[in-house]
Amino acid sequence: MYVSEHVQRRDLNAAVQQGTGTTLWQWIRQLSAGRCFVSDGQNLVTEDVTVVEGDVATISCRVKNSDDSVIQLLNPNRQTIYFRDFRPLKDSRFQLVNFSNSELRVSLTNVSISDEGRYFCQLYTDPPQEIYTTITVLVPPRNLVIDIQKETAVEGEEIELNCTAMASRPATTIRWFKGNKELTGKSEVEQWSDMYTVTSQLLLKVGREDDGVPVICLVDHPAVKDLQTQRYLEVMYKPQVRVSQNYPLQGLTREGEPLELTCTAFGKPQPTDMRWLRVDDEMPQHVVVSGSNLLISNLNKTDNGTYRCEASNAVGKSHADYMLFVYDTTATTEPAVHDSRAGEEGAIRSVDHAVVGGVVAVVVFAMLCLLIILGRYFARHKGTYFTHEAKGADDAADADTAIINAEGGQNNSEEKKEYFI
């Protein structure tokens, strides 16, 4: 038996409009029990939908090679949402976007977790065709919080920070940054029903350079972009001390001239105690100390030595040294370099002319020794020569006889031989 398309439409519309006790799906099942002509190659197409909670999801049921058969959309509970362009379901969040012979497109507003699942596209043919689309609902983290173990840390300490992203779906990935540098934390995931809470722990050893630097907790989640929170580090550290020479600005520190030094110190908290002292000796009576300044109005040789500036705060104490060498009034040599730097010990090393002179003396002495050794070597290895001339001539009465008596004579004389010893 063949049922015409006109009869299908008439009976289905009557079922919907008259509100009979037979459900729409039962009517479709009854009609499909007969035989309906379906053109070859007709099929349904749809796509899965991923949507953020609270946004709009759009479901599309499309027909290829349509022959004007009936299209309907069902929810995960198999309830009809739309039959052609009619909505039997009373949920007003479903709205018709487009209806034609080849497409049924429906929007769902204010999507929630309960809307997640499979939605079925059905095409009334013989036999009926069906395909489903899956709606996946993403939930961004409800809250993002950084807890820090200590509000104020001391340089060298290791502090603990925890970042928590609550009630997300799926679970979030947490990343840590200190300024622009990415750090590595350790994450734990807790699941509550269909939601996830992620907590990431970061252990960080801080230094004075970290004071005022932001630590950032950033979330990677498909439902949200650029979600982050941050805390600024507060690090306390002991003073950094530096000694500078105000006068003379350049040149030597000569006898009879003044010398003025200034001590500067920075720390957190700011240093509250600063004092000058002379290392390994008493401070000369004519030295005037006024706060961070040290003044010697008339330098003399007895002022030579190392002068130290000490500064302290609640964290600790640091110092910087200045080595003073007073030159004669006629001295023209460049002065020693006075370098003041604060550190763990604050010790300052200056270039000493005596060291330079000693190095030069050693070099000269080594060259003299080398010349002496070379002289002795050549003296011991010089050549020694022996000649053997006219043996027997000593007994001759005169010169002619000596020549005749010489061994071998003039014609037979041997060549002079040289021996190298």
Side-chain angles (χ1 to χ4, degrees), residues 301-417:
K301 294 287 188 179
T302 61
D303 296 328
N304 288 342
T306 301
Y307 294 81
R308 174 172 295 176
C309 175
E310 289 185 345
S312 62
N313 61 10
V315 180
K317 180 170 65 174
S318 299
H319 66 265
D321 291 346
Y322 177 90
M323 182 174 288
L324 173 63
F325 185 83
V326 180
Y327 293 85
D328 295 333
T329 55
T330 58
T332 58
T333 310
E334 287 297 320
V337 177
H338 299 286
D339 182 21
S340 300
R341 290 171 291 183
E344 185 65 25
E345 298 295 334
I348 305 300
R349 304 293 182 184
S350 299
V351 179
D352 196 329
H353 286 80
V355 175
V356 177
V359 172
V360 174
V362 170
V363 173
V364 173
F365 178 75
M367 293 180 65
L368 290 174
C369 291
L370 181 61
L371 290 174
I372 293 172
I373 293 172
L374 290 175
R376 294 193 62 184
Y377 175 82
F378 287 118
R380 292 183 60 184
H381 292 78
K382 69 181 181 178
T384 302
Y385 301 88
F386 292 88
T387 58
H388 303 271
E389 300 179 353
K391 291 183 178 180
D394 293 339
D395 299 331
D398 50 36
D400 293 333
T401 306
I403 292 174
I404 295 172
N405 293 339
E407 292 182 3
Q410 185 174 0
N411 296 329
N412 298 326
S413 62
E414 297 179 356
E415 289 186 5
K416 296 181 180 179
K417 296 184 179 180

Side-chain angles (χ1 to χ4, degrees), residues 152-364:
T152 302
V154 177
E155 64 174 336
E157 283 187 338
E158 185 178 67
I159 60 174
E160 178 183 327
L161 299 94
N162 290 282
C163 183
T164 303
M166 294 180 285
S168 67
R169 190 169 188 263
T172 62
T173 299
I174 293 179
R175 300 167 63 190
W176 288 97
F177 292 86
K178 185 180 74 171
N180 295 324
K181 181 181 179 182
E182 185 166 2
L183 307 175
T184 303
K186 181 181 179 182
S187 295
E188 293 184 357
V189 180
E190 295 182 12
Q191 182 176 359
W192 301 90
S193 183
D194 292 332
M195 310 299 283
Y196 298 88
T197 295
V198 180
T199 301
S200 180
Q201 180 190 70
L202 176 67
L203 299 178
L204 180 63
K205 187 174 182 179
V206 296
R208 62 183 63 196
E209 68 278 1
D210 296 323
D211 184 49
V213 175
V215 174
I216 302 168
C217 173
L218 184 144
V219 165
D220 279 341
H221 193 275
V224 66
K225 292 182 178 180
D226 301 326
L227 177 59
Q228 64 181 42
T229 185
Q230 64 184 22
R231 292 285 295 269
Y232 287 90
L233 296 174
E234 186 173 354
V235 182
M236 299 176 64
Y237 52 90
K238 62 184 180 180
Q240 295 174 297
V241 186
R242 183 176 183 272
V243 174
S244 57
Q245 179 178 306
N246 296 338
Y247 187 87
L249 295 177
Q250 293 179 347
L252 301 173
T253 49
R254 295 186 177 90
E255 281 187 293
E257 294 184 353
L259 171 68
E260 183 179 356
L261 304 177
T262 297
C263 179
T264 55
F266 301 95
K268 190 170 183 180
Q270 189 64 20
T272 55
D273 184 24
M274 185 180 298
R275 69 189 188 102
W276 283 95
L277 57 91
R278 187 177 182 183
V279 179
D280 298 330
D281 205 345
E282 294 183 357
M283 185 74 78
Q285 293 184 354
H286 59 278
V287 173
V288 178
V289 176
S290 176
S292 61
N293 295 329
L294 181 146
L295 175 64
I296 303 177
S297 58
N298 190 2
L299 288 171
N300 59 66
K301 294 287 188 179
T302 61
D303 296 328
N304 288 342
T306 301
Y307 294 81
R308 174 172 295 176
C309 175
E310 289 185 345
S312 62
N313 61 10
V315 180
K317 180 170 65 174
S318 299
H319 66 265
D321 291 346
Y322 177 90
M323 182 174 288
L324 173 63
F325 185 83
V326 180
Y327 293 85
D328 295 333
T329 55
T330 58
T332 58
T333 310
E334 287 297 320
V337 177
H338 299 286
D339 182 21
S340 300
R341 290 171 291 183
E344 185 65 25
E345 298 295 334
I348 305 300
R349 304 293 182 184
S350 299
V351 179
D352 196 329
H353 286 80
V355 175
V356 177
V359 172
V360 174
V362 170
V363 173
V364 173

